[in-house]
Amino acid sequence: TTLNLNWSKMASYGYDGLKLRRRDTSAEDVGVVASTSNNTPGPETPKSDVGNLQIKHKISNVKAVILLGGQKDGTRFRPLSLTCPKPLFPIAGVPMIYHLMEACAKVEGLTEILLVGVFPENNLTSFVMHAERSLGVSVRYLQEFKPLGTGGGLYFFRDLIMRGNPDCFFVLHADLCADFPLSELLAFHGANGEGNHMTIMSVKARKEQAGNYGCLVSDEGSAEVQHYVEKPSTFVSTDINAGVYVLSSAIFDDMKKVFLKNHDNTGSLREEIWLEKDIIANLAGADGPCRVFLYRTKNFWSQVKTAGSVIYANRHYLKNFKASSPDLLSIETENGPSIVGDVRIHDSAEVDPTAKLGPNVTIGPGVKIGAGTRVRDAILLEGVQIGNHSVILNAIIDRRSVIGDWARVEGAPVQVNPNDPTTHEPTKNLFSPDGRLNPLVTIVGEETQIPNESMVRNIICMPNKILSAENYTNQIIL
């Protein structure tokens, strides 16, 4: 499958024109809206009031590194990632990673955003150029020669990361949806440690969910991390690694030790370095001054691993737009469709006035929606056509697919309580123990045709299919 995206195709993903623009970068705007609480860290975090922190290390020069992964990552995201690199998949009308980059650009003193991954460079060239102009900060893509792990890419490009002598740098995983308290996290980092330390952003998880993440044990008084286990088989803690870090340059000395160990005289040639297993697990609780600190936040946080989590993230970002950029949301007009809740419609889309959209709907460029059609909790990408009197619920319809008249495309709702700070979009197996497809958000791959009067429920359909039967339920259509 080719992933060569030129600019015209990049524009079709929803960030043509000036729809990506830098928001107000005032300190009060950092974090925008927290759907679970206010934007300050929870009371569990020592010295949670950033304004009262006693800064030990002055930080005025910062960079951000976003880890993108590669084509072999994101298998649970298929078929959406077959023709579009997962980090560029549009959520709430803009590429997934742009939400992270926008949060980084608001941090005072940030000079550069580096994207590190295995995707071919031409996949991201146009996006990088456009994002740099939109954000007003230097953006660069660094391509790994092979997958090097969550720390290997950092070590391989250490000279470029440290160019300009930043005081420290953020590291973020690309598949996150959150209200990122980056300025607060940075201030907390500057108020702790000896200058050779790292700070991990942490959120609370339910006990039954915690084992799906890296778990941290810390001292409640000092926030020093004493123990770290990646995806433990037994219960360790409800404090989980949120995939956001502030690292000091001394981390590269630790990575060097791992690199040399991986290339010892025994013939070992392991190129990968894993930030979690090779670095954090070894530094946590080590002798000497503490070098790993925990910053706990109650802000909204979730991973974007599956189609279900995309619908969840879309809901959250649209809600944020209402507070931060209300002009990006569509409003009901006398000659337009009925709109319920948060809906974003691309300017080039054509929606019949008798249609009803929302809540939690994003309509991409060139989409056409017929008379009497109902769309809720859905993302329709570029060029999708929906006929008259059809229903689209809990679904993602990929580019240029065609849904006929009186058709029903429906997936299972994302059963997550957005008002519960310990609830995240849970990881589900594709199949149940008895071999049935578990209830999921329905995905219709690109350039698929669904005929009139069809019912499609709980399916994953690969691209370029012509469905002929009237009903499809609980299937993967290959």
Side-chain angles (χ1 to χ4, degrees):
T1 303
T2 179
L3 285 173
N4 185 16
L5 303 180
N6 56 33
W7 169 245
S8 61
K9 190 171 182 181
M10 298 287 282
S12 74
Y13 283 100
Y15 48 93
D16 52 319
L18 292 177
K19 291 297 182 183
L20 301 186
R21 62 180 183 277
R22 190 172 185 177
R23 302 175 188 166
D24 177 28
T25 57
S26 63
E28 291 80 4
D29 194 40
V30 174
V32 191
V33 174
S35 66
T36 60
S37 70
N38 56 36
N39 288 334
T40 58
E44 304 93 333
T45 302
K47 307 174 186 176
S48 60
D49 187 349
V50 173
N52 294 331
L53 288 175
Q54 296 180 355
I55 303 301
K56 298 173 61 177
H57 319 285
K58 184 179 179 181
I59 300 175
S60 59
N61 183 1
V62 189
K63 291 189 179 185
V65 181
I66 301 177
L67 305 178
L68 305 186
Q71 292 164 291
K72 293 184 179 180
D73 296 313
T75 55
R76 285 179 285 174
F77 207 71
R78 294 173 182 170
L80 302 175
S81 58
L82 290 177
T83 54
C84 169
K86 179 182 174 182
L88 297 183
F89 186 84
I91 300 179
V94 297
M96 183 190 307
I97 57 171
Y98 188 83
H99 294 286
L100 282 71
M101 297 167 68
E102 193 171 35
C104 292
K106 294 175 181 178
V107 176
E108 184 177 356
L110 188 124
T111 59
E112 188 173 34
I113 299 174
L114 300 173
L115 310 177
V116 177
V118 195
F119 295 102
E121 187 174 0
N122 60 358
N123 287 182
L124 289 101
T125 300
S126 297
F127 168 74
V128 166
M129 292 174 57
H130 190 81
E132 186 172 67
R133 291 195 300 267
S134 178
L135 294 172
V137 64
S138 174
V139 179
R140 185 173 181 179
Y141 175 59
L142 306 176
Q143 182 184 349
E144 300 172 85
F145 65 92
K146 61 176 289 188
L148 297 174
T150 53
L154 300 176
Y155 185 68
F156 187 78
F157 293 112
R158 60 192 180 280
D159 291 339
L160 294 175
I161 294 173
M162 295 310 299
R163 179 183 292 176
N165 297 316
D167 300 309
C168 55
F169 58 97
F170 291 104
V171 174
L172 303 90
H173 288 273
D175 56 353
L176 298 178
C177 169
D179 292 329
F180 297 98
L182 298 183
S183 293
E184 294 90 337
L185 176 63
L186 189 64
F188 184 83
H189 181 80
N192 291 279
E194 302 299 326
N196 62 345
H197 61 295
M198 65 184 300
T199 302
I200 304 173
M201 190 178 93
S202 174
V203 295
K204 283 283 187 181
R206 291 185 182 274
K207 185 175 180 179
E208 60 270 21
Q209 294 181 358
N212 296 320
Y213 308 92
C215 296
L216 305 107
V217 177
S218 64
D219 181 90
E220 290 296 324
S222 64
E224 297 179 356
V225 176
Q226 301 167 332
H227 186 54
Y228 179 85
V229 183
E230 183 68 15
K231 298 181 180 179
S233 57
T234 58
F235 176 72
V236 173
S237 170
T238 55
D239 287 324
I240 64 171
N241 181 352
V244 180
Y245 314 92
V246 180
L247 305 182
S248 303
S249 60
I251 202 72
F252 294 122
D253 295 328
D254 301 296
M255 291 181 180
K256 181 178 180 180
K257 295 176 183 177
V258 176
F259 179 83
L260 294 176
K261 182 180 179 180
N262 290 346
H263 294 76
D264 57 22
N265 295 328
T266 62
S268 173
L269 292 175
R270 184 166 71 92
E271 301 284 356
E272 298 89 354
I273 299 175
W274 296 97
L275 193 59
E276 301 82 4
K277 294 182 290 186
D278 293 328
I279 306 299
I280 300 175
N282 290 329
L283 293 181
D287 295 336
C290 179
R291 295 188 55 201
V292 185
F293 291 85
L294 176 147
Y295 174 84
R296 190 180 291 125
T297 179
K298 285 188 175 180
N299 282 16
F300 178 94
W301 179 90
S302 182
Q303 291 181 311
V304 184
K305 297 287 189 182
T306 64
S309 57
V310 168
I311 295 296
Y312 188 40
N314 188 65
R315 176 195 307 165
H316 177 70
Y317 283 130
L318 290 176
K319 180 181 179 181
N320 277 4
F321 286 164
K322 180 183 293 186
S324 63
S325 302
D327 56 308
L328 295 180
L329 297 178
S330 301
I331 58 175
E332 188 170 327
T333 62
E334 183 177 352
N335 298 320
S338 175
I339 292 178
V340 179
D342 301 327
V343 175
R344 185 175 186 183
I345 304 174
H346 193 273
D347 294 339
S348 64
E350 300 178 16
V351 183
D352 190 275
T354 61
K356 185 174 182 179
L357 310 180
N360 183 29
V361 170
T362 298
I363 306 297
V367 171
K368 296 182 179 180
I369 298 177
T373 288
R374 178 73 170 103
V375 182
R376 188 188 74 200
D377 289 295
I379 298 176
L380 310 185
L381 298 185
E382 177 253 337
V384 166
Q385 297 183 37
I386 310 295
N388 300 324
H389 307 290
S390 293
V391 176
I392 313 295
L393 305 175
N394 306 305
I396 299 174
I397 314 298
D398 209 345
R399 295 174 300 135
R400 297 185 296 279
S401 290
V402 179
I403 314 295
D405 298 336
W406 296 98
R408 186 180 185 93
V409 178
E410 182 178 2
V414 180
Q415 298 291 352
V416 178
N417 179 6
N419 298 313
D420 186 341
T422 64
T423 297
H424 310 129
E425 203 278 325
T427 301
K428 287 184 179 180
N429 294 323
L430 197 57
F431 296 97
S432 64
D434 58 0
R436 293 180 299 175
L437 187 68
N438 277 321
L440 301 166
V441 167
T442 285
I443 306 173
V444 177
E446 70 173 25
E447 298 187 1
T448 291
Q449 298 181 30
I450 297 178
N452 297 338
E453 302 178 6
S454 296
M455 178 173 287
V456 174
R457 302 183 67 184
N458 191 37
I459 71 160
I460 298 175
C461 181
M462 295 297 114
N464 306 304
K465 303 300 176 185
I466 299 177
L467 306 189
S468 55
E470 293 183 356
N471 296 297
Y472 292 86
T473 305
N474 301 328
Q475 298 181 47
I476 297 179
I477 302 174
L478 301 175

